[in-house]
Amino acid sequence: MNKTWWKEAVVYQIYPRSFQDSNGDGIGDLNGIRQRLDYLKLLGIDVIWLSPICKSPNDDNGYDISDYQDIMSEFGTMEDFDHLLQEAHERGIRILLDLVVNHTSDEHPWFLESRRSRENPYRDYYIWREGKEDGSCPNNWGSCFSGSAWEYDSETKMYYLHLFSKKQPDLNWENPRVRDEVFDMMDWWCRKGIDGFRMDVISMISKDPALPDGEVSNGLYGDFTPYSVHGPKVHDYLKEMNRRVLSKYDLMTVGETAGVTIEEAKRYAGEGEEELNMVFHFEHVDSSGEFGKWTDQKTELRILKGILSKWQTELENSAWNSLYWDNHDQPRAVSRFGDDREEYRELSAKMLATCLHMMKGTPYIYQGEELSMTNYPFEDMIQFKDIESINAYKELVGDGHVTHERMMDYLRFKSRDNARTPMQWDDKEQAGFTNGTPWLSVNPNYREINAARQIDDPESVFSYYKKLIALRKKHDVIVYGTYQLILPEDSHIFAFIRTLEKEQVLVLCNFTDQEVKADIPEAFNKETTECFIQNYKDRESLDKGILRPYEALALYWKE
Ligand code: TEU
Ligand code: CA
């Protein structure tokens, strides 16, 4: 068992724009994060993943970078960053940066040069193509943010590729100069003392040079994923990145690999592959409808536990899992996988936390998840700021594919803005996030759901997360034990066992608001169990062979 700090760590994701404003402009910033480091220390997390903090016009809230070696003006200065890094390290907290190198902003100097002329030395930093004979786009690919993945540039009469917004032109990783620039920039940040990277859509950096048309599924655009996800040279590029940068430092690296399969994950994150430490897969969050991600349907439990169990068992002894319910791109966990009705919100949030944190892998907590923050009650399109949501509404409702009412249901359930409302610190004006006007409205339930109300309450969701994090530090069986799903056919209970030599943990989670029978295999009905954690005050239920609504327990014993 090769013990490793990033396998034993719990990561906390901060979306800086919405975490803490320190200067009253309504936008979160680095000094605001520094003010909250003691909160994170109290929670017990080990690593912070900062969503992008570099200079950006914020077309996609920082995932469109115009200077990789300077801090976004709204977030502060490089001196503020150095101060934050130093104070985090003083508390034993490491910091990962969000590496966004599949694309830059169209305001990056490289792109400003590249678009000036076909002969410009920066031309091949990006992916330019002539249109088809009839002048239409080079192929039928659709952007993740609606519309075509190509934008025509009248200056040089060619199209450039953008798998995301037209202000996010894709970098051409085939060009060794692009790789040199990226690796030099990464090395510069590592020499400043950062502790690793979360790598944005890193599975997309290698494209099939033929850029062929994709299959058209919903009558809108062709699917680019077969030709631009896990492309022909993606592993060559990551091995080169590891050799030239990552291997020189004690880093944690996690790849955001949309569309990744188990087999591909073993290549990106396999022990000995010399690429990354782990990857995020999206199988459990990629619920979809007729038009991509847009649905308001929850995932049925047997499907959900089948997916998560597959990743637990099939990466065993070959790669390391990342564990998450939500992030800045996903709806709030308790609204999507739990039950945010007031009577069940805290119970189901603790149940979800038990389920995730007792699995094998590195757990990620998204800001506010530890408070059971919920989706936002959106009523009008004017309330949205997320380019993905706004563009999807324009395309799907504007072109008559989906009714306004239906699209509002989809957005209320899955818009990324659900996760981006300001962190709820207390019950004061704007939830203590800002003393100005927040860039995105604070959830009206902030008076009931906020940190001040929870940090000293031993029964709060915050205190429950603290216990789970402390348990992980205390017991190797939680970090390194093997995983075995039990009751696979049960459509209410997600139950599994972790085993490490003579130690075992039985985890039972009722994902419903029903009281259900719990057929626990005789072998595990042992009297000598110690209850690691439970979200009810007692475990009488087990004596009756039932689980109460959203009941969760983790029972431990040692042979
Ligand atoms: O997201 C990549 C990605 O796959 C998105 O399409 C995401 O899955 C989708 O938005 C979910 O609805 C990364 C970042 O996490 C995201 O915030 C950025 O917008 C995107 O890349 C472009 O940088
Ligand atoms: Ca601010």
Side-chain angles (χ1 to χ4, degrees):
M1 169 173 57
N2 56 331
K3 298 175 71 127
T4 322
W5 65 265
W6 44 263
K7 290 184 177 177
E8 300 176 355
V10 176
V11 183
Y12 188 92
Q13 183 194 353
I14 290 177
Y15 194 69
R17 196 171 190 82
S18 306
F19 192 66
Q20 176 66 65
D21 173 23
S22 70
N23 63 351
D25 66 358
I27 298 171
D29 46 55
L30 299 183
N31 288 332
I33 296 172
R34 188 160 51 82
Q35 288 167 7
R36 295 293 181 179
L37 286 175
D38 287 334
Y39 168 83
L40 297 174
K41 189 65 189 165
L42 178 67
L43 179 59
I45 57 101
D46 309 284
V47 180
I48 294 170
W49 152 24
L50 282 180
S51 272
I53 58 173
C54 289
K55 277 228 182 305
S56 165
N58 287 300
D59 189 56
D60 186 16
N61 286 355
Y63 283 92
D64 49 320
I65 291 174
S66 56
D67 184 342
Y68 286 102
Q69 293 175 250
D70 198 357
I71 301 299
M72 187 192 303
S73 319
E74 295 89 328
F75 289 172
T77 65
M78 187 57 79
E79 191 186 2
D80 295 332
F81 173 77
D82 293 339
H83 200 174
L84 169 62
L85 183 64
Q86 179 202 340
E87 292 210 9
H89 283 170
E90 283 167 3
R91 291 166 174 80
I93 295 175
R94 291 176 160 102
I95 290 190
L96 309 185
L97 293 189
D98 206 321
L99 182 74
V100 187
V101 289
N102 171 67
H103 48 269
T104 70
S105 164
D106 67 346
E107 297 180 28
H108 193 291
W110 298 340
F111 190 73
L112 298 179
E113 281 300 312
S114 179
R115 71 183 316 165
R116 286 159 61 90
S117 81
R118 295 188 181 204
E119 296 69 39
N120 188 288
Y122 286 87
R123 187 68 172 182
D124 280 348
Y125 272 47
Y126 296 89
I127 298 170
W128 293 92
R129 289 293 185 282
E130 305 267 7
K132 289 180 176 166
E133 289 291 305
D134 61 3
S136 64
C137 296
N139 67 25
N140 67 356
W141 292 3
S143 154
C144 290
F145 293 162
S146 306
S148 165
W150 296 93
E151 181 69 9
Y152 186 69
D153 180 71
S154 54
E155 190 65 31
T156 59
K157 298 183 178 30
M158 287 177 85
Y159 288 86
Y160 66 84
L161 178 68
H162 59 88
L163 298 181
F164 293 93
S165 90
K166 63 185 178 188
K167 284 183 69 61
Q168 294 170 288
D170 281 59
L171 280 167
N172 171 23
W173 273 73
E174 291 268 350
N175 183 344
R177 287 181 60 207
V178 166
R179 301 200 300 276
D180 290 345
E181 297 266 18
V182 169
F183 299 157
D184 289 348
M185 173 270 289
M186 292 175 69
D187 197 65
W188 183 83
W189 279 105
C190 291
R191 276 183 278 113
K192 283 179 69 69
I194 64 156
D195 304 286
F197 298 99
R198 175 266 187 182
M199 299 188 188
D200 190 62
V201 288
I202 203 69
S203 55
M204 295 187 185
I205 59 176
S206 169
K207 278 77 173 170
D208 175 337
L211 302 176
D213 275 350
E215 191 184 321
V216 179
S217 59
N218 54 20
L220 300 177
Y221 293 92
D223 175 13
F224 65 73
T225 47
Y227 312 105
S228 185
V229 177
H230 321 314
K233 294 184 180 172
V234 68
H235 296 290
D236 299 327
Y237 298 152
L238 286 176
K239 285 175 176 13
E240 184 183 352
M241 180 193 284
N242 189 302
R243 189 175 68 253
R244 292 176 60 178
V245 183
L246 305 179
S247 56
K248 294 178 187 166
Y249 302 91
D250 179 18
L251 302 177
M252 174 177 178
T253 54
V254 52
E256 188 210 26
T257 47
V260 72
T261 60
I262 293 274
E263 285 325 303
E264 277 295 338
K266 289 179 182 174
R267 298 186 67 191
Y268 286 111
E271 314 264 359
E273 287 293 336
E274 269 129 45
E275 293 185 20
L276 306 176
N277 297 146
M278 65 190 92
V279 294
F280 290 127
H281 72 81
F282 289 78
E283 281 192 51
H284 63 311
V285 293
D286 259 356
S287 59
S288 57
E290 188 191 357
F291 295 103
K293 64 177 272 188
W294 302 110
T295 175
D296 58 0
Q297 296 307 304
K298 289 197 171 189
T299 305
E300 201 272 320
L301 180 64
R302 275 171 300 186
I303 295 172
L304 178 67
K305 66 185 186 178
I307 291 168
L308 293 173
S309 299
K310 178 184 76 174
W311 281 88
Q312 288 284 297
T313 49
E314 295 191 24
L315 289 196
E316 183 65 48
N317 297 324
S318 60
W320 191 252
N321 265 298
S322 61
L323 308 169
Y324 72 97
W325 288 126
D326 55 6
N327 57 39
H328 65 293
D329 291 331
Q330 301 297 331
R332 287 279 177 186
V334 72
S335 297
R336 180 188 195 165
F337 295 110
D339 187 334
D340 60 13
R341 288 175 296 176
E342 198 42 35
E343 63 180 307
Y344 293 123
R345 173 174 52 79
E346 294 192 336
L347 256 185
S348 69
K350 292 175 183 176
M351 179 278 292
L352 289 173
T354 310
C355 184
L356 192 87
H357 285 255
M358 286 294 135
M359 280 192 206
K360 185 169 190 176
T362 299
Y364 289 73
I365 301 169
Y366 177 65
Q367 69 180 45
E369 177 189 330
E370 78 281 9
L371 302 175
S372 74
M373 279 177 63
T374 68
N375 276 3
Y376 185 92
F378 292 107
E379 287 164 356
D380 188 307
M381 272 315 290
I382 195 156
Q383 294 171 302
F384 292 97
K385 294 285 191 301
D386 171 25
I387 186 168
E388 179 189 59
S389 301
I390 293 166
N391 286 2
Y393 182 91
K394 280 181 196 155
E395 180 168 85
L396 296 180
V397 176
D399 296 356
H401 301 289
V402 176
T403 65
H404 165 80
E405 292 70 25
R406 200 97 198 78
M407 194 63 200
M408 288 308 290
D409 288 342
Y410 292 162
L411 289 167
R412 265 188 288 272
F413 187 63
K414 287 201 78 182
S415 168
R416 303 192 301 180
D417 277 334
N418 280 302
R420 300 174 178 189
T421 62
M423 186 69 178
Q424 294 165 200
W425 293 108
D426 56 39
D427 60 5
K428 298 189 184 62
E429 195 64 24
Q430 305 301 358
F433 164 70
T434 178
N435 54 26
T437 305
W439 72 278
L440 184 66
S441 300
V442 172
N443 195 312
N445 63 18
Y446 75 93
R447 289 185 184 82
E448 296 76 45
I449 306 172
N450 64 68
R453 192 172 168 149
Q454 295 193 32
I455 50 179
D456 297 325
D457 171 2
E459 299 307 316
S460 68
V461 177
F462 177 88
S463 297
Y464 198 87
Y465 268 83
K466 258 176 75 177
K467 279 182 216 149
L468 285 169
I469 294 166
L471 275 171
R472 180 169 283 268
K473 288 188 181 0
K474 202 171 157 205
H475 299 281
D476 279 349
V477 61
I478 298 173
V479 180
Y480 296 106
T482 56
Y483 169 100
Q484 178 203 354
L485 179 70
I486 62 169
L487 314 179
E489 290 315 307
D490 194 306
S491 58
H492 298 79
I493 299 171
F494 190 161
F496 55 88
I497 294 149
R498 304 290 309 282
T499 304
L500 184 67
E501 291 159 14
K502 295 201 176 304
E503 295 180 280
Q504 288 200 308
V505 182
L506 169 62
V507 182
L508 297 161
C509 297
N510 179 359
F511 267 70
T512 74
D513 59 0
Q514 306 299 309
E515 181 175 285
V516 292
K517 241 169 74 53
D519 290 334
I520 300 164
E522 193 41 44
F524 299 110
N525 258 325
K526 297 181 179 175
E527 295 316 310
T528 55
T529 57
E530 171 197 342
C531 189
F532 262 180
I533 195 163
Q534 65 195 55
N535 63 353
Y536 276 76
K537 290 202 183 321
D538 60 54
R539 49 170 164 158
E540 287 158 18
S541 57
L542 283 193
D543 302 338
K544 300 175 201 153
I546 59 160
L547 287 177
R548 289 162 286 193
Y550 299 110
E551 182 162 15
L553 309 103
L555 304 174
Y556 167 80
W557 61 80
K558 190 168 185 174
E559 291 293 338

